[in-house]
Amino acid sequence: MAGACFGRYTHAVVRAVPGSLQDHAIRDPASSPVDLAKAQRQHGVYVGILRQKLGLQVIEVPADDSFPDSVFVEDLAVVCGDTVLVTRPSALSRRGEVSAILPVLEELKLRIVEMKDETAMLEGGDVLFTGREFFVGLSQRTNQRGAEILADTFKDFAVSTVPGNGSLHLKSFCSMGGPDLLVIGSSEHAQKALRTMQQLTDHHYDKLTVPDDCAANCLFVRPGGKGHALVLRSAEDYPESIKAFEKLKDYTLIPTSMSELNKVNGMLTCCSILVNRKLDV
Amino acid sequence: MEKCVNGYFFAYFICYLAYFLFFVLLSDASCVFQLATMTSEITEKDKVIQDGSNAEGTVVKDADTSESKASPGTLTETGRSTGTTGRGLSRLLPSWMRRSKHSSKPETVPLTKEQPGSTEDVAEDAVLLKTDGPDDVSAGEKAEKEKCARVDLPGAAPVKSKVEEPPTMGGEGSEQDSKDTEKTASHSSETRIQKRGSWREYKLWGRKTKEKDKEKNEDKEETTEEKPALEAKMDVQEVGKEEKRAQGLDLRKLIDDDLIEIIDDVSDSEEKPGEQERDEDKGIKDQVNPTGEKEASEHAKEETEQPAEKEQAGDATSGQGVEAREPTPAETPKGKQDEGSTAEQKKEGKEKQMPGRVARSVSRRSRHVSCKVALLDGTSFECLLEKNACGQALFDLVCQHVNILEKDYFGLLHKDEAGHKNWLDPAKEVKKQLLNPPWLFSFNVKFYPLDPAQLTENLTRYLLCLQLRDDVTRGRLPCSFVTLALLASYTLQAELGDWSPQEFEGNYATAFRLAPNQTHELEERAMELHRTHRGQKPAEADFHFLENAKKLSMYGVDLHHAKDSEGTDIMLGVCANGLLVYRDRLRINRFAWPKILKISYRRSHFYIKIRPGEFEHVESTIGFKLPSHRAAKRLWKVCVEHHTFFRMVEPEKIPRGRLLSLGSRFRFSGRTQAQTREASARIDRPAPLVRRASARVQPSMAGSTVRTYTAMSSDGGAATASRAFNTARAAQAPAMPTSDGEDDVFLTPPLPRRSGPGEGKATSEDQTDSSKTDSSSSDSESGAEHEPPRVQMRNIEGENIYIRHSKLMLEGLDKTDEDMARRKDSLSQLKRSFMEDTLPPRPNEWDKRLSVGSPGRPSPRISMHGSPLQSPLNFSFREAPEGAGQSGNGEAMTTEALTVTYQAPQADSEDGEPDVLMSAQTITSESVSSTTTTHITKTVKGGFSETRIQKKIVISGDSDTDHDQALVQALHEATVQHPGMAITRVVVHKETDVPASD
């Protein structure tokens, strides 16, 4: 079911960086201001990688200034197989973002499941799909109820909850670097979450620990269903971490910089929804 | 009594009190409640004393008890002493209570002494898990000695108690009685005490500690010599009280049901105290306890039966005694249960037994209880089981019926009153485990194999599929729409065969139950996918089904409701890998078996002790609250079993003999997965027939090939002797070993439908009876209706299983082995000679084919270079031109028809007696290139019934088809399909279209 196809995608849904991001995006007050132009440039490079290097069909949704965080499309939907769960972000300012994404998902002929429960909160950034099971980080943005709905939607898979660690998304410090390869940051909460996940899982995952939490968020894709490609943060962003990645064998490493969006908690995985859907058309 | 100063004697006292209480609870509700309260009070008091005097107590008691072990002599003594000293009680309690208590105590129910320090009235069992998975830290740790307290209570017996009689008297009586019993105990047992704190624990060892485990067991054997382990003390005490406290309400509720029955019994017993007194002594001596009610003849009969049974079941002697007087109010636990059963049966109207005395005399006579087992394919299996049979006996019967060899993955489930499902413990008597006696079970998968592909037989996989289909449709195994549809499509493929546009029109999937909420969309999707599975044989479809199902996260997870320490509702899931904790479908924790050091339960709490992790240094114990004591125990048992099955190389030996050991004696008694795999690797039988019973099968024999031949076979009663000899084997591996590895055969649907339920029942009963050859008591025979003489039944057993569905009862003539062999030989010669005439010899082919022969029967030896055809066969050869066949392009064709008739010598055909036609059936099945018509007639001739099966198989094919090959194949299939039947006539009618131009 999962293992072999993990990392195989055909489409990517992205959304351009809105002008309002610079001032209105949800962010850590301490972080330095975002250089919008640079952010847009970096995003452009990112989309280019998806399209050129990973061979995905990229569907780009136009930016909307009324939603400053709308570039982070990953939070809006969890796709697994041909089913998509449209999430319910915690921030009120983000609730409207879905409306622009939905038609795209419909076009991809995905089975759309929407969260109707008012009490549920879930953001895609808190959902880690390993190919075999789901981990849901319980945070300020994701609650138990949201995770339950996720479990109801994807009944085939075990859904385990990883207790919260502040406002951070689960995928802010970890991601899948390949089938059964978990990339994890080395901070204390990252390691704690790793232990929790190891405890909760029936499967064995290899782990790759990288010095920087944010570098642990990378994008694994098997272009054309073969080979291993990993989009990761460039040396310019995280010089130490990239060395850890270089140990991986038979991987095509595609470093890219995401420093500006990172200031508003943007990550590599955040900026796209990856879909594996062979359309007959 | 003086010795009671010592704490240990208090321990005895309490234990016996509890023991006594146990019986009382079962039998006479009036005293019970009071006794229960008394017991607990005493316990509390004694605890104080006992705690101080552990060491002393040990010494004294050892000295005191080492002299005598449990022996009949002791028993008699005991019984008498009770008779004299237990007067206070005898006023209140009918003598049978005392009697039953004493007579059964040392034999049936091994007593376990409770430790003084832990006379706390809690049932606590602990299992120490020592495993050595990847994170096993302490493989080298020294094994601790085990201790166990018997906590297995035979059913929830105490629940059935009632309050009626004056409480004080009951209390008094019990006290006295228990003192007496205490003496008994000190004489009848040898004790070794090992103090282990208040937790009784046993450890489970992981794979790599096998050797250590062995050592430990040896060690154990050295130190413990007592053979008849005494147990059940703690049980009674703990559970009795536990039930009282925790389930007080339920208790009352349940009591009402049995009220009338019990009152009735009480009055009976009070009427005849003298007789019972007398009987008591008798009962002790010969272990039959005929009561005053018994008629002399019955009494005698039962006495004669006793000895045999005594040997049969080691610890069942008193159980037998109980059985013998079961209808009387002699209420040992079993007695009570049986009685309860009467009540239940009356209620449900499922049994013929009637309440009151009539019922008693009836049930006294029949020593078998009818069991009904719901099988996975929706049918049910009924059998008569001896009352005191172990769970294993029933399970074996069922497995035999299902024809499964890899049976260790399965188990029998029984539902208790509350609707909770309990696994039948094969090691214990059935009647001890059941409360409500319509003995209803369901045959289910107990351990879901992690990798179904490793199962040896397709039949096993098929049964697992059936279980999983049920799990899916009942929502126990949640899966997404996509997976549902996929699984459903494999179900369709397995049941219906290949999709074809002609046969499958409309929404044929609706006929199947495929999902919990079956929608049209799902059916559509399933049918869509069904088309893509073309060419998959049923076994393959099953395989794919399992490959997908096993990946589901809830595959093989046994869920139990619980609460965590904060009172949050959670679910505990036991699976092959460990224990999972769910909260609202979300996994919130997981404890792999290697992580768990010990599992235990105490009252309604369930505890696991966790091995310290890398960064912790303290072992932590996590507790869960379960709805009831029973639930906790159930969970604990399931955990023990799963751990043993999936993680150990061999099951841990059941600890025995340590009198003061605590904790449950319960261990997993079956084979572990490792052993099972080993065993199934050795399975050497032709793949058994998979009867796809869902019966929505289309008539087309999709996937299976049918060859042309016309054969007339009649059951000449072949090989009776060999069959009788091979009864067991034939029953196990009955049906049809198929020729070329194709082991799935669709049943033609009309047959199972036509055979009524009564028929099936009769068959299974027969089977049961005949398999229990040694239990041919007169009453069992009278019990089974229309049971023909045993020998004949055995004869037909082989066929029976295969043809059962077709409502055929083949009764063979007595023929010797050689007779049958000769016939087969001549037939095969016939076949061979026919082959030689027309085909180049193919020795290898033949050998291969014939070696697949039916199980347990001598397969005809064929030598390709043997003598030519012998004369006894009528051999008619006819060649006649017939009318023109169909012409494709207007081209004229002539048809050359060739008819070959072979006639085997018929020993029984010409006896001239009039035949009475019993039944006739015609079944037609079609496949792509062939049509098979089977005509089955059953006639009675000269006292024997004869079944003739006439098969007409028409193959239409072009010249490329090797007709001779097909004929050989067909003949072979026929012999294989109907083992035990002989082919008497083969008529080959060959029509060849010859182009006219030639």
Side-chain angles (χ1 to χ4, degrees):
Chain A
M1 226 180 288
C5 338
F6 185 70
R8 235 181 252 188
Y9 302 107
T10 54
H11 294 75
V13 180
V14 297
R15 198 167 188 186
V17 182
S20 54
L21 177 119
Q22 192 171 16
D23 303 319
H24 301 288
I26 302 164
R27 51 182 294 184
D28 183 0
S31 64
S32 51
V34 177
D35 178 344
L36 181 66
K38 195 175 177 190
Q40 282 169 335
R41 205 163 52 244
Q42 285 175 347
H43 187 263
V45 172
Y46 174 82
V47 173
I49 289 170
L50 294 181
R51 188 175 284 139
Q52 311 293 327
K53 301 210 171 163
L54 303 180
L56 301 175
Q57 199 169 334
V58 177
I59 302 164
E60 193 159 1
V61 179
D64 186 341
D65 280 353
S66 53
F67 300 112
D69 294 295
S70 57
V71 64
F72 305 125
V73 287
E74 183 197 40
D75 291 335
L76 305 176
V78 179
V79 182
C80 180
D82 60 356
T83 307
V84 57
L85 174 68
V86 177
T87 63
R88 217 171 154 275
S90 60
L92 289 173
S93 62
R94 301 200 62 184
R95 297 266 164 94
E97 292 177 19
V98 174
S99 55
I101 302 291
L102 267 178
V104 179
L105 298 174
E106 276 165 15
E107 211 172 290
L108 288 167
K109 293 190 177 150
L110 294 164
R111 292 172 55 83
I112 297 177
V113 181
E114 286 184 78
M115 273 192 179
K116 299 224 170 70
D117 193 324
E118 291 294 312
T119 61
M121 290 196 307
L122 182 75
E123 290 191 3
D126 276 321
V127 179
L128 175 69
F129 180 61
T130 68
R132 299 174 185 274
E133 63 192 309
F134 284 99
F135 290 106
V136 180
L138 297 181
S139 64
Q140 285 176 4
R141 302 178 181 190
T142 298
N143 61 11
Q144 180 88 14
R145 185 77 193 110
E148 278 171 35
I149 294 175
L150 181 86
D152 282 346
T153 310
F154 304 107
K155 285 183 188 154
D156 291 358
F157 300 98
V159 178
S160 308
T161 52
V162 181
N165 38 58
S167 61
L168 281 173
H169 274 152
L170 177 67
K171 278 201 264 187
S172 303
F173 51 79
C174 68
S175 65
M176 294 309 288
D180 301 337
L181 174 66
L182 196 62
V183 184
I184 187 88
S186 50
S187 72
E188 198 180 313
H189 62 256
Q191 290 299 316
K192 192 175 160 224
L194 174 71
R195 282 197 296 277
T196 310
M197 289 191 276
Q198 283 174 336
Q199 157 113 22
L200 283 164
T201 184
D202 291 327
H203 306 286
H204 175 74
Y205 297 106
D206 296 324
K207 64 169 182 182
L208 176 69
T209 309
V210 296
D212 306 286
D213 276 5
C214 288
N217 183 293
C218 54
L219 200 60
F220 172 75
V221 176
R222 304 179 70 182
K226 48 190 183 292
H228 292 192
L230 199 62
V231 183
L232 69 165
R233 301 293 289 273
S234 63
E236 140 196 10
D237 285 1
Y238 295 107
E240 292 302 314
S241 295
I242 201 160
K243 288 178 190 159
F245 282 111
E246 279 162 2
K247 289 177 199 153
L248 293 173
K249 283 176 187 152
D250 304 324
Y251 269 71
T252 311
L253 299 181
I254 308 168
T256 185
S257 179
M258 194 59 99
S259 56
E260 293 308 311
L261 287 177
N262 203 18
K263 290 172 183 170
V264 284
N265 299 330
M267 302 279 166
L268 284 170
T269 58
C270 288
C271 300
S272 59
I273 302 172
L274 300 181
V275 179
N276 185 19
R277 198 88 183 103
K278 290 206 172 57
L279 298 176
D280 302 328
V281 188
Chain B
M1 290 307 141
E2 315 86 70
K3 287 175 190 167
C4 289
V5 185
N6 188 289
Y8 268 95
F9 286 95
F10 270 104
Y12 276 99
F13 172 79
I14 289 153
C15 292
Y16 274 86
L17 188 59
Y19 187 74
F20 172 71
L21 168 66
F22 178 60
F23 288 107
V24 172
L25 281 169
L26 290 165
S27 54
D28 188 345
S30 45
C31 309
V32 170
F33 194 75
Q34 200 51 38
L35 287 173
T37 41
M38 286 295 294
T39 316
S40 56
E41 278 165 25
I42 293 163
T43 315
E44 296 299 306
K45 263 186 275 163
D46 292 345
K47 216 162 65 182
V48 184
I49 309 169
Q50 288 158 0
D51 282 344
S53 54
N54 276 336
E56 271 180 276
T58 315
V59 177
V60 176
K61 204 184 86 222
D62 273 345
D64 200 31
T65 54
S66 56
E67 291 169 13
S68 60
K69 296 179 185 181
S71 68
T74 322
L75 283 181
T76 320
E77 204 180 276
T78 315
R80 278 177 195 146
S81 75
T82 316
T84 51
T85 54
R87 286 303 168 205
L89 185 67
S90 66
R91 269 186 296 136
L92 273 172
L93 303 175
S95 54
W96 45 261
M97 281 192 179
R98 282 169 281 127
R99 181 195 58 224
S100 65
K101 171 183 63 195
H102 290 298
S103 61
S104 62
K105 198 187 303 157
E107 294 169 15
T108 17
V109 198
L111 307 174
T112 302
K113 289 287 115 118
E114 200 173 337
Q115 269 193 336
S118 53
T119 32
E120 284 178 324
D121 55 334
V122 286
E124 44 176 72
D125 280 315
V127 174
L128 277 192
L129 302 182
K130 248 182 212 172
T131 46
D132 42 20
D135 38 357
D136 193 350
V137 196
S138 58
E141 271 182 30
K142 193 187 175 278
E144 285 182 90
K145 280 276 156 75
E146 306 180 2
K147 301 217 192 105
C148 2
R150 164 84 177 186
V151 191
D152 290 333
L153 186 75
V159 179
K160 290 230 172 181
S161 57
K162 261 184 311 171
V163 189
E164 263 178 41
E165 285 191 22
T168 42
M169 294 169 80
E172 193 189 326
S174 73
E175 244 182 282
Q176 290 194 6
D177 193 77
S178 58
K179 281 170 192 165
D180 296 335
T181 54
E182 171 207 322
K183 266 187 201 160
T184 319
S186 62
H187 287 296
S188 63
S189 54
E190 189 179 62
T191 318
R192 229 165 263 267
I193 306 170
Q194 273 197 328
K195 170 89 178 149
R196 268 284 150 210
S198 62
W199 288 85
R200 266 72 56 185
E201 48 203 40
Y202 89 85
K203 276 147 262 160
L204 300 177
W205 297 86
R207 299 179 188 285
K208 287 168 197 164
T209 47
K210 185 182 168 188
E211 287 168 11
K212 187 166 292 178
D213 203 11
K214 272 185 187 161
E215 286 170 26
K216 191 177 61 179
N217 285 331
E218 283 165 18
D219 188 17
K220 215 188 305 163
E221 279 168 27
E222 283 166 21
T223 52
T224 62
E225 290 166 12
E226 308 83 22
K227 275 284 148 110
L230 303 183
E231 50 181 22
K233 275 293 114 98
M234 189 164 158
D235 267 3
V236 177
Q237 182 185 359
E238 288 169 350
V239 180
K241 280 180 223 156
E242 193 60 38
E243 296 296 338
K244 277 282 176 303
R245 289 172 187 172
Q247 303 181 355
L249 288 175
D250 294 351
L251 207 133
R252 301 279 155 76
K253 208 168 54 190
L254 290 165
I255 286 163
D256 291 345
D257 295 337
D258 290 328
L259 201 61
I260 300 165
E261 197 68 13
I262 293 168
I263 290 169
D264 189 26
D265 291 337
V266 169
S267 62
D268 279 353
S269 61
E270 277 167 356
E271 279 168 26
K272 301 166 182 172
E275 262 178 307
Q276 280 158 357
E277 286 266 355
R278 190 200 65 208
D279 292 336
E280 174 191 342
D281 287 342
K282 212 175 193 176
I284 290 157
K285 277 169 201 151
D286 59 15
Q287 275 119 34
V288 185
N289 297 299
T291 60
E293 287 176 300
K294 265 187 193 150
E295 294 147 55
S297 61
E298 279 171 17
H299 180 190
K301 193 195 296 169
E302 272 159 12
E303 274 197 270
T304 52
E305 283 159 16
Q306 286 304 314
E309 286 175 13
K310 243 185 278 171
E311 292 170 13
Q312 204 176 63
D315 63 344
T317 22
S318 81
Q320 236 116 50
V322 171
E323 188 199 312
R325 56 191 149 74
E326 170 249 341
T328 75
E331 277 15 294
T332 61
K334 305 132 205 167
K336 168 67 179 183
Q337 277 173 13
D338 286 339
E339 182 184 296
S341 84
T342 323
E344 292 279 343
Q345 285 156 2
K346 183 178 66 182
K347 264 179 273 160
E348 305 214 4
K350 294 204 172 183
E351 291 289 320
K352 295 157 214 157
Q353 292 182 5
M354 297 169 70
R357 276 161 205 258
V358 186
R360 277 176 209 138
S361 56
V362 170
S363 60
R364 194 186 300 142
R365 198 171 293 134
S366 71
R367 292 161 56 252
H368 294 84
V369 180
S370 105
C371 298
K372 194 170 180 184
V373 182
L375 301 177
L376 286 166
D377 59 3
T379 60
S380 68
F381 166 73
E382 285 181 52
C383 65
L384 286 178
L385 192 71
E386 275 184 70
K387 272 204 193 90
N388 51 353
C390 280
Q392 186 68 43
L394 177 62
F395 183 64
D396 286 344
L397 280 179
V398 177
C399 288
Q400 202 177 48
H401 173 77
V402 181
N403 187 27
I404 184 131
L405 289 186
E406 293 172 290
K407 55 189 177 186
D408 304 278
Y409 299 97
F410 300 85
L412 292 176
L413 265 182
H414 172 257
K415 229 181 204 172
D416 62 21
E417 293 90 345
H420 297 300
K421 288 185 167 178
N422 295 293
W423 291 106
L424 186 72
D425 186 348
K428 285 168 67 186
E429 287 178 36
V430 178
K431 65 183 170 196
K432 283 187 179 180
Q433 301 176 59
L434 298 193
L435 257 191
N436 53 338
W439 282 10
L440 303 176
F441 302 92
S442 57
F443 180 74
N444 287 97
V445 174
K446 188 174 190 181
F447 305 110
Y448 290 76
L450 283 178
D451 188 3
Q454 285 196 24
L455 296 175
T456 301
E457 296 200 307
N458 285 337
L459 177 64
T460 318
R461 265 190 287 275
Y462 171 64
L463 291 175
L464 181 58
C465 269
L466 288 178
Q467 174 73 62
L468 287 167
R469 283 180 204 165
D470 189 58
D471 289 348
V472 167
T473 52
R474 285 171 195 275
R476 281 193 296 264
L477 182 60
C479 46
S480 65
F481 177 86
V482 182
T483 312
L484 269 181
L486 186 64
L487 295 179
S489 68
Y490 286 121
T491 302
L492 294 177
Q493 176 71 23
E495 297 294 342
L496 300 175
D498 285 350
W499 181 87
S500 72
Q502 305 88 15
E503 288 172 48
F504 299 104
E505 290 159 356
N507 192 350
Y508 58 92
T510 332
F512 290 86
R513 184 147 162 66
L514 302 166
N517 308 307
Q518 196 161 330
T519 58
H520 185 68
E521 190 191 2
L522 181 87
E523 287 165 6
E524 286 291 317
R525 186 69 186 274
M527 291 187 289
E528 208 174 283
L529 289 167
H530 177 204
R531 294 177 199 193
T532 65
H533 303 323
R534 252 189 106 79
Q536 284 179 10
K537 286 178 187 166
E540 284 175 66
D542 282 347
F543 182 85
H544 290 296
F545 180 98
L546 294 176
E547 284 303 295
N548 283 286
K550 75 171 186 189
K551 291 179 194 159
L552 296 169
S553 74
M554 298 305 281
Y555 172 83
V557 179
D558 184 19
L559 286 178
H560 297 254
H561 284 280
K563 280 182 164 51
D564 66 6
S565 53
E566 289 153 15
T568 318
D569 280 318
I570 54 165
M571 297 285 265
L572 292 174
V574 185
C575 68
N577 294 321
L579 188 66
L580 303 166
V581 187
Y582 292 91
R583 185 180 153 197
D584 296 312
R585 298 174 294 280
L586 296 173
R587 190 185 286 181
I588 56 172
N589 215 337
R590 174 179 170 275
F591 304 100
W593 293 127
K595 281 264 183 195
I596 303 177
L597 283 168
K598 185 171 87 174
I599 54 180
S600 57
Y601 74 98
R602 190 187 220 191
R603 292 197 185 121
S604 59
H605 288 270
F606 174 80
Y607 300 96
I608 50 175
K609 194 187 228 179
I610 305 299
R611 187 186 298 284
E614 290 171 71
F615 305 100
E616 305 128 41
H617 301 285
V618 200
E619 295 170 351
S620 53
T621 300
I622 301 172
F624 302 97
K625 170 101 174 69
L626 278 100
S628 68
H629 164 77
R630 230 151 232 297
K633 184 183 172 188
R634 192 162 45 234
L635 173 60
W636 179 82
K637 274 181 136 180
V638 169
C639 282
V640 170
E641 291 175 330
H642 271 77
H643 175 271
T644 312
F645 185 81
F646 286 108
R647 231 183 122 61
M648 288 172 62
V649 175
E650 57 189 25
E652 193 175 14
K653 271 203 181 157
I654 294 174
R656 40 163 211 179
R658 205 165 285 135
L659 256 191
L660 287 197
S661 64
L662 299 162
S664 172
R665 211 160 267 280
F666 173 79
R667 295 295 181 272
F668 177 58
S669 57
R671 288 194 286 210
T672 63
Q673 178 171 254
Q675 289 172 324
T676 300
R677 283 185 181 162
E678 216 174 277
S680 51
R682 285 196 297 266
I683 288 180
D684 181 26
R685 68 167 179 184
L689 169 72
V690 178
R691 287 192 219 105
R692 303 207 167 252
S694 41
R696 278 178 218 84
V697 188
Q698 301 294 307
S700 85
M701 306 274 285
S704 68
T705 43
V706 182
R707 273 101 190 173
T708 317
Y709 79 116
T710 309
M712 225 210 233
S713 43
S714 85
D715 175 36
T720 309
S722 79
R723 245 179 294 149
F725 178 72
N726 284 310
T727 302
R729 175 74 207 245
Q732 266 182 8
M736 198 175 84
T738 47
S739 43
D740 31 26
E742 189 181 343
D743 57 345
D744 279 278
V745 176
F746 289 109
L747 286 191
T748 41
L751 298 180
R753 281 196 202 123
R754 270 188 222 169
S755 67
E759 182 79 19
K761 186 184 169 186
T763 313
S764 48
E765 269 177 13
D766 293 337
Q767 223 179 310
T768 312
D769 278 4
S770 50
S771 60
K772 279 191 263 168
T773 46
D774 53 343
S775 67
S776 56
S777 61
S778 58
D779 36 22
S780 81
E781 243 172 39
S782 68
E785 317 156 281
H786 59 78
E787 187 189 343
R790 208 158 283 270
V791 182
Q792 269 196 346
M793 285 313 296
R794 284 224 232 129
N795 287 348
I796 67 166
E797 208 162 69
E799 287 84 4
N800 222 3
I801 288 164
Y802 169 61
I803 317 185
R804 187 186 303 125
H805 59 271
S806 64
K807 208 182 171 181
L808 277 182
M809 300 291 279
L810 305 182
E811 283 147 52
L813 298 168
D814 278 358
K815 283 279 156 92
T816 57
D817 217 340
E818 305 88 67
D819 203 6
M820 134 96 168
R822 187 166 54 82
R823 179 170 295 183
K824 280 212 164 177
D825 248 289
S826 59
L827 266 169
S828 46
Q829 272 185 349
L830 161 76
K831 282 184 282 189
R832 179 178 48 82
S833 58
F834 181 73
M835 290 291 295
E836 274 173 349
D837 282 348
T838 52
L839 286 172
R842 300 178 209 177
N844 293 335
E845 191 76 353
W846 264 111
D847 285 350
K848 204 178 79 188
R849 289 254 164 73
L850 289 164
S851 65
V852 196
S854 48
R857 270 177 206 88
S859 58
R861 299 246 30 98
I862 306 275
S863 73
M864 279 315 293
H865 312 288
S867 57
L869 180 64
Q870 300 296 308
S871 53
L873 301 163
N874 298 334
F875 201 87
S876 75
F877 208 92
R878 185 166 63 91
E879 223 171 301
E882 287 191 24
Q886 67 277 58
S887 55
N889 337 331
E891 198 182 350
M893 313 269 242
T894 50
T895 301
E896 176 204 321
L898 169 72
T899 305
V900 189
T901 310
Y902 304 93
Q903 180 101 43
Q906 276 284 42
D908 51 338
S909 56
E910 256 75 63
D911 44 12
E913 286 188 59
D915 296 3
V916 183
L917 183 67
M918 298 298 286
S919 67
Q921 266 185 317
T922 306
I923 307 143
T924 309
S925 62
E926 282 178 280
S927 85
V928 191
S929 64
S930 65
T931 310
T932 310
T933 312
T934 312
H935 187 67
I936 305 170
T937 49
K938 190 186 173 193
T939 52
V940 170
K941 192 193 317 187
F944 293 106
S945 88
E946 180 192 289
T947 303
R948 276 175 182 271
I949 299 178
Q950 186 173 359
K951 285 205 174 200
K952 185 178 179 188
I953 302 178
V954 178
I955 274 196
S956 44
D958 51 21
S959 54
D960 295 340
T961 315
D962 188 345
H963 292 275
D964 303 312
Q965 186 62 31
L967 172 72
V968 170
Q969 192 101 30
L971 284 171
H972 174 66
E973 271 178 23
T975 45
V976 156
Q977 264 185 19
H978 307 287
M981 298 188 79
I983 295 178
T984 52
R985 222 165 122 219
V986 183
V987 179
V988 180
H989 187 82
K990 206 172 174 185
E991 288 187 355
T992 319
D993 289 339
V994 182
S997 54
D998 294 288

